[in-house]
């Protein structure tokens, strides 16, 4: 199922979200307008607001004005985090085009990210819902903690799978969990439905991030992001964690020594080949599918129909996408 098909049961609600979201990008500041226009041209997947809208409508049969504010707030927070992440990681390309920091420099990129973060808080405050405002604040805390923990583990070949899962839980999975949870909260869903939505989002987000990490070892030129970035930054993710744990000592130490020095393209190629040879890609793919299935199982108690099918398709999309 394509994203357009996934959005079909919330077509009208998504159009309203898009209008509200694009309004934020209007500015009389010439520089900010240039940045905003550039970002709008990229037009990402918007999977997070889609989940907000689907969760709300599945729980209650309709979205509310609070749902719309939540969807906008979360997409703005996501936009801010991408801009800031590109600065932190010195990433020069985003969705096949120069990143904001590559185009305008780090100072302007940080300030642009702050602009979207502040607008995210504004839309959360508009809901006048304490639980929603607390959740949004917690996302910011988790994102920062996850990023800092990952930075502390750069070039640490002894990182465990448990530590890796903790990093991606804070950096990615809990944002997806919050999308589904806040969608439910925005329409006054009961505690059982809200908890089920939270777990659905967390498992989907974990699957989504593992898929992203597999991309780094891909040779597919059609993937909409640069490959090898994590390796160059010495970020050891699940495919390499498994390969290091399940290789002979000599091969492992060779890779560890490579990671201890500045990497060139040949080094990246060696690490990719090592990871593939030692089953890292297959293992990560299997884990990804386990989390996808766990996400789908959390929807069992909800009424069958187009809305539920679209949320199931969101989980399938997270695990099968090539961008």
């Amino acid at each position: 199922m394509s994203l357009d098909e996934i959005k079909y049961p919330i077509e009208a609600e998504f159009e309203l979200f898009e209008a509200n979201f694009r309004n934020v990008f209007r500015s009389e500041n010439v520089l900010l307008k240039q940045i905003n226009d550039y970002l709008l041209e990229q037009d990402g997947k918007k999977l997070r607001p889609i989940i907000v809208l689907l969760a709300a409508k599945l729980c209650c049969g309709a979205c509310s004005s609070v749902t719309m504010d939540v969807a906008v707030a979360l997409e703005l927070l996501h936009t801010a985090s991408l801009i800031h992440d590109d600065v932190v990681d010195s990433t020069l390309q985003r969705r096949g085009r120069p990143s904001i920091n590559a185009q305008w420099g780090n100072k302007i990129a940080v300030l642009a990210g702050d602009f979207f973060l502040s607008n995210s808080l504004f839309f959360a405050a508009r809901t006048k819902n304490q639980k929603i405002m607390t959740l949004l604040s917690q996302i910011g805390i988790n994102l920062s903690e996850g990023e800092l923990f990952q930075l502390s583990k750069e070039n640490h070949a002894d990182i465990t799978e448990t530590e890796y899962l903790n990093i991606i839980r804070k950096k990615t999975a809990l944002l997806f969990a919050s999308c589904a949870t806040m969608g439910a909260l925005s329409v006054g869903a009961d505690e059982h439905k809200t908890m089920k939505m939270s777990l659905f989002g967390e498992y989907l987000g974990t699957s989504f991030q593992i898929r992203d990490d597999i991309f780094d070892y891909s040779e597919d030129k059609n993937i909409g992001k640069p490959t090898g970035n994590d390796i160059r930054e010495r970020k050891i993710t699940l495919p390499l964690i498994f390969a290091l744990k399940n290789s002979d000592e000599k091969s492992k130490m060779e890779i560890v020594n490579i990671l201890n020095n500045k990497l060139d393209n040949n080094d990246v190629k060696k690490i990719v080949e090592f990871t593939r040879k030692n089953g890292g890609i297959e293992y990560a793919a299997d884990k990804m599918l386990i989390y996808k299935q766990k996400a789908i199982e959390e929807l069992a108690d909800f009424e069958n129909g187009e809305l539920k099918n679209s949320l199931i398709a969101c989980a399938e999309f997270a695990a099968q996408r090539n961008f």
Side-chain angles (χ1 to χ4, degrees), residues 157 161 240-248 252 274 283:
E161 183 173 325
L240 185 53
I241 289 170
F242 179 86
L244 287 167
K245 186 178 178 181
N246 292 276
S247 64
D248 62 83
K252 175 181 176 178
F274 167 83
Y283 178 79

Side-chain angles (χ1 to χ4, degrees), residues 258-273:
I258 290 173
L259 288 166
N260 283 332
N261 296 288
K262 188 174 181 180
L263 305 181
D264 58 28
N265 288 336
N266 285 332
D267 293 327
V268 172
K269 187 176 179 182
K270 283 180 185 176
I271 293 171
V272 169
E273 289 173 351

Side-chain angles (χ1 to χ4, degrees), residues 62-236:
C63 297
S64 68
S65 60
V66 173
T67 310
M68 291 299 160
D69 285 341
V70 164
V72 173
L74 286 164
E75 187 64 8
L76 287 170
L77 178 64
H78 175 58
T79 302
S81 71
L82 291 181
I83 295 171
H84 286 158
D85 282 353
D86 286 345
V87 173
V88 170
D89 297 335
S90 300
T91 301
L92 300 179
Q93 193 177 70
R94 168 72 59 181
R95 295 173 185 149
R97 303 174 69 199
S99 58
I100 300 299
N101 51 298
Q103 193 81 347
W104 281 278
N106 287 342
K107 289 181 181 179
I108 290 173
V110 169
L111 291 170
D114 290 347
F115 170 81
F116 292 111
L117 177 59
S118 300
N119 272 285
S120 172
L121 296 172
F122 172 78
F123 275 87
R126 276 182 24 154
T127 68
K128 296 182 172 61
N129 184 310
Q130 189 63 47
K131 287 184 178 179
I132 286 173
M133 288 188 280
T134 300
L135 264 177
L136 191 84
S137 301
Q138 190 63 51
I139 295 170
I141 294 169
N142 288 326
L143 286 170
S144 299
E145 285 185 347
E147 188 70 38
L148 286 167
F149 186 52
Q150 185 169 50
L151 287 171
S152 74
K153 285 293 180 178
E154 279 185 14
N155 200 25
H156 284 234
D158 60 347
I159 183 173
T160 66
E161 183 173 325
T162 300
E163 289 174 325
Y164 163 80
L165 289 172
N166 183 42
I167 289 170
I168 68 170
R169 181 175 185 267
K170 291 191 171 184
K171 283 189 62 179
T172 304
L174 290 180
L175 175 54
F176 278 97
S178 295
C179 290
T181 304
M182 291 159 93
L185 288 173
S186 73
V187 291
D190 62 39
E191 189 174 340
H192 175 73
K193 286 181 177 178
T194 302
M195 179 56 68
K196 287 292 180 181
M197 279 298 169
S198 178
L199 290 171
F200 164 79
E202 182 171 344
Y203 295 141
L204 181 153
T206 303
S207 175
F208 184 97
Q209 186 57 54
I210 294 173
R211 180 66 170 163
D212 241 28
D213 293 338
I214 291 171
F215 283 156
D216 207 52
Y217 294 83
S218 176
E219 296 172 351
D220 187 350
K221 304 299 183 185
N222 295 318
I223 289 173
K225 60 174 285 185
T227 57
N229 270 7
D230 288 343
I231 299 170
R232 289 183 181 87
E233 293 162 14
R234 298 179 177 83
K235 289 180 180 176
I236 301 176

